[in-house]
Amino acid sequence: MEVSALSKRFPGKRGTPEKAVLDNVSFRVDDGEFVTLIGPSGSGKTTLFHLIGGLELPTSGDILLHGRSTVGARGHIAYMPQQASLMPWLTVSANIELSLTIAGLGKREARGLARDWLARIGLDAAADQYPDVLSGGMQQRVSFLRALLSPQRLMCLDEPFSALDALTRQHMQAWLLSLWESNRRSVLFVTHSIEEALLLSDRILVMSAAPASIVREVAVPFPRPRSEALWSDAAFIRLKQELYDMLRPDAARG
């Protein structure tokens, strides 16, 4: 995917001035690459996802997937929001099956694929249960699996672990890493956690405050596979501090 000179302004209400959210944002996500966006709260990261997913139209700029413009078009990405957003009236397996049948698979094939993958991630016993009996971490696993099994090559993950407690979040990070490394889908990930960004990413894009632009691009130098043991590495700590300094409110823009 390539985002080219993307800007977004929302009209003002009742005589108030318009609100500029994104300003000339450009970046790419290569095939099989894990790219993370970090930036201040309110810097337009979720708006950017809405533009990429076709839920909003940009004021200017373009979004290309496989070289073709997808501005305003839906169904080109797999999306995982901050909350699991599972349908409470469907079982765990049926939640996954529904997304697969919408993507064009037959019901029998969708059911078999859902059951097979639930077993792979250790949730086969929960297949016929309803989402409300699952823990937050288990619900997020199901939500991620639903995105992973969709046919789109690009997954957009919008702070998927932000609502989890610290220990569950660490477990989910390790789980996501292991599953992604065996599958290598292209991922665009949003987080407020610098440690999470460094643990998961190939590259980190630092966004400014709104109206947001990309002010830094950081290639993560640590070899894969990775684990939480990396957090005590001296180079990890130095890079974490550098990223923190970039995000400080008094850091220079641009």
Side-chain angles (χ1 to χ4, degrees), residues 161-174:
F161 308 144
S162 62
L164 303 177
D165 64 83
L167 184 59
T168 303
R169 184 169 185 155
Q170 286 188 23
H171 290 162
M172 287 297 299
Q173 290 165 355

Side-chain angles (χ1 to χ4, degrees), residues 188-205:
L188 183 61
F189 189 87
V190 166
T191 183
H192 281 99
S193 168
I194 296 174
E195 293 94 339
E196 189 168 76
L198 287 170
L199 178 66
L200 297 175
S201 312
D202 295 310
R203 285 187 296 123
I204 297 172
L205 306 176

Side-chain angles (χ1 to χ4, degrees), residues 85-204:
S85 300
L86 301 175
M87 297 179 184
W89 59 89
L90 295 178
T91 65
V92 166
S93 182
N95 265 279
I96 299 170
E97 293 166 32
L98 178 61
S99 66
L100 293 173
T101 55
I102 290 173
L105 270 68
K107 289 185 178 180
R108 181 175 296 180
E109 184 181 2
R111 182 175 177 82
L113 190 59
R115 298 274 172 162
D116 176 56
W117 272 94
L118 284 169
R120 291 192 202 186
I121 67 171
L123 289 179
D124 47 326
D128 295 319
Q129 296 180 348
Y130 289 90
D132 64 337
V133 305
L134 304 183
S135 68
M138 292 171 72
Q139 289 186 28
Q140 288 299 81
R141 288 191 185 198
V142 176
S143 183
F144 179 78
L145 184 56
R146 186 172 58 182
L148 181 71
L149 294 180
S150 67
Q152 296 87 355
R153 285 294 302 167
L154 176 65
M155 291 193 297
C156 290
L157 312 182
D158 188 1
E159 296 191 72
F161 308 144
S162 62
L164 303 177
D165 64 83
L167 184 59
T168 303
R169 184 169 185 155
Q170 286 188 23
H171 290 162
M172 287 297 299
Q173 290 165 355
W175 178 81
L176 171 58
L177 264 182
S178 64
L179 201 59
W180 175 81
E181 286 172 351
S182 67
N183 189 271
R184 288 295 173 120
R185 296 279 290 280
S186 301
V187 173
L188 183 61
F189 189 87
V190 166
T191 183
H192 281 99
S193 168
I194 296 174
E195 293 94 339
E196 189 168 76
L198 287 170
L199 178 66
L200 297 175
S201 312
D202 295 310
R203 285 187 296 123
I204 297 172

Side-chain angles (χ1 to χ4, degrees), residues 222 229-238:
F222 311 114
L230 185 63
W231 291 4
S232 60
D233 182 270
F236 182 96
I237 295 170
R238 285 195 299 272

